[in-house]
Amino acid sequence: MRPATAADVERRLAIGAEPDENLRLYGVQPDGAAFGREDAERWARGLLAHPHAWIIEGGSLLGTIRLDRVDLAEKRASLAIGLLRQQDQGRGLGTEAVRRVLAYGFDELGLHRVSARVLADNVRAIRCYEKCGFVREGRERETAFLDGTWHDDLIMGVLSHEFRRE
């Protein structure tokens, strides 16, 4: 993992649009739009401006991970991660990235709690979070309308003393 750089625009542009299956797992209805330079530049600008966002790489650009809504007074944040290509999923790369970011959040930022919201159908992501110590805390019903059907989100959280480093 590393911070984003301006050179990531070209790397992200080379990947192109995320597969529709990925978008659905994020709770986003695919619209078939092409992914162009402006999209890649917007993507990179967002990462460059974010104080707690990183590129996940392993020889090439794999995805991103970030801590959002970091509240140091309340000692909490929320986690978001996305691997851009399906062939990079299911290999433990996301779990390793989540563990690194949680270690940073708990050890360096002094957080007590990190939460995550995940589509209830996203079994792979749920398994990843659970490996890292997240527990299911609740269900938000019918939050994403995809392909004519409503889907639920799970709310998950991990406390600093529950974090599974390995």
Side-chain angles (χ1 to χ4, degrees):
M1 292 182 356
R2 62 171 176 76
T5 68
D8 289 316
V9 170
E10 296 303 322
R11 291 181 185 108
R12 180 64 185 90
L13 186 59
I15 292 171
E18 283 193 64
D20 289 354
E21 297 80 13
N22 276 18
L23 297 175
R24 285 184 181 92
L25 290 173
Y26 302 150
V28 175
Q29 180 68 51
D31 62 7
F35 188 88
R37 177 164 297 283
E38 286 182 22
D39 300 304
E41 290 171 349
R42 186 177 323 108
W43 174 87
R45 274 194 310 272
L47 292 170
L48 288 165
H50 197 299
H52 304 290
W54 301 271
I55 297 287
I56 302 168
E57 68 177 8
S60 64
L61 172 64
L62 303 177
T64 62
I65 189 168
R66 62 185 193 272
L67 288 174
D68 291 326
R69 295 181 293 284
V70 173
D71 185 332
L72 297 177
E74 296 290 327
K75 298 185 179 293
R76 65 180 172 191
S78 62
L79 179 80
I81 181 173
L83 295 176
L84 297 168
R85 294 179 295 241
Q86 289 183 304
Q87 66 262 30
D88 296 325
Q89 298 171 8
R91 298 180 17 208
L93 301 168
T95 301
E96 180 182 343
V98 169
R99 284 186 172 135
R100 287 184 184 192
V101 169
L102 289 176
Y104 167 77
F106 294 136
D107 299 342
E108 302 298 320
L109 297 179
L111 299 178
H112 174 68
R113 171 189 169 73
V114 175
S115 62
R117 171 185 296 270
V118 59
L119 205 64
D121 301 335
N122 193 342
V123 176
R124 186 175 285 147
I126 294 165
R127 222 177 11 238
C128 166
Y129 292 143
E130 289 175 339
K131 285 180 193 174
C132 296
F134 281 82
V135 298
R136 299 175 195 206
E137 298 178 331
R139 177 179 290 264
E140 198 169 28
R141 299 177 305 141
E142 298 186 358
T143 54
F145 191 69
L146 302 167
D147 301 321
T149 305
W150 285 103
H151 299 265
D152 297 351
D153 272 335
L154 294 182
I155 308 304
M156 301 182 76
V158 60
L159 305 179
S160 58
H161 64 274
E162 297 169 332
F163 172 40
R164 295 188 198 130
R165 294 176 187 269
E166 299 273 339

